Amino acid sequence: MDAERIRAYLLTLPHVVETAQWGGLVFWVGDKAIGGKMFVMLPLDENEGLERSDKARVISYLVGAERYPELLETEGIFPAPYVARIFWVAVSGWDVFRKAEWERELSAAHALTLAKLPPKVRAALALPAAQQKRLIAERRKVLAAKAAAKAR
């Protein structure tokens, strides 16, 4: 596996939105404008964050409290910087898992995140595509207006 194949796979999962943030790609279940939550971070520079974590990573993702201790025993997996307290792991290389294992891990991260979304967000995700698009556009306008007012 590599970053491009992982990206392609993630974009096949339901309600996944990709943003460019923090020097990499962040994958969300639902648009963040309507309350979506992130579940995978894919640094574009594998050495990103080295000064703080002393470990290069190719991907970070949510694993949940149950799998977290088990995965930390796997060579090449360590607590994800900044988000380890909410049970995220970071992986140092693509060879830690095979393709099917990567897909299973990332599908599980997606499912965990989807299950934790508030009912209001899940209701928004259930809307027809056109309605959902309008809702996201309206919400982005509101957020931009709030940001502009705060900047003054």
Side-chain angles (χ1 to χ4, degrees):
M1 287 302 261
D2 58 36
E4 200 51 46
R5 287 184 184 142
I6 291 288
R7 179 180 176 268
Y9 174 72
L10 290 170
L11 292 173
T12 67
L13 298 172
H15 311 296
V16 170
V17 177
E18 173 188 64
T19 61
Q21 286 181 253
W22 307 311
L25 300 176
V26 179
F27 296 86
W28 303 74
V29 177
D31 194 287
K32 66 181 179 176
I34 59 168
K37 302 290 180 196
M38 64 181 186
F39 71 105
V40 172
M41 290 187 281
L42 197 59
L44 295 177
D45 176 7
E46 293 176 7
N47 295 317
E48 183 267 322
L50 270 182
E51 68 281 353
R52 292 188 189 96
S53 69
D54 297 324
K55 295 181 183 178
R57 64 185 179 279
V58 296
I59 192 170
S60 300
Y61 64 98
L62 174 68
V63 296
E66 296 79 28
R67 297 248 7 253
Y68 187 76
E70 171 192 338
L71 285 173
L72 290 181
E73 293 178 10
T74 305
E75 189 173 333
I77 298 179
F78 56 95
Y82 309 109
V83 287
R85 65 183 171 77
I86 55 173
F87 307 109
W88 280 59
V89 296
V91 182
S92 62
W94 295 115
D95 58 346
V96 170
F97 297 118
R98 293 186 172 118
K99 181 181 185 242
E101 293 169 319
W102 272 116
E103 290 176 359
R104 188 172 53 247
E105 288 292 316
L106 299 175
S107 291
H110 177 270
L112 274 170
T113 306
L114 184 60
K116 289 182 178 182
L117 291 176
K120 187 175 179 179
V121 178
R122 278 188 264 151
L125 293 176
L127 291 172
Q131 276 185 290
Q132 193 179 113
K133 191 174 181 178
R134 275 195 302 275
L135 177 64
I136 291 168
E138 290 169 10
R139 186 68 187 134
R140 284 184 179 159
K141 284 180 188 175
V142 169
L143 293 172
K146 283 183 180 180
K150 195 175 185 178
R152 288 186 228 156

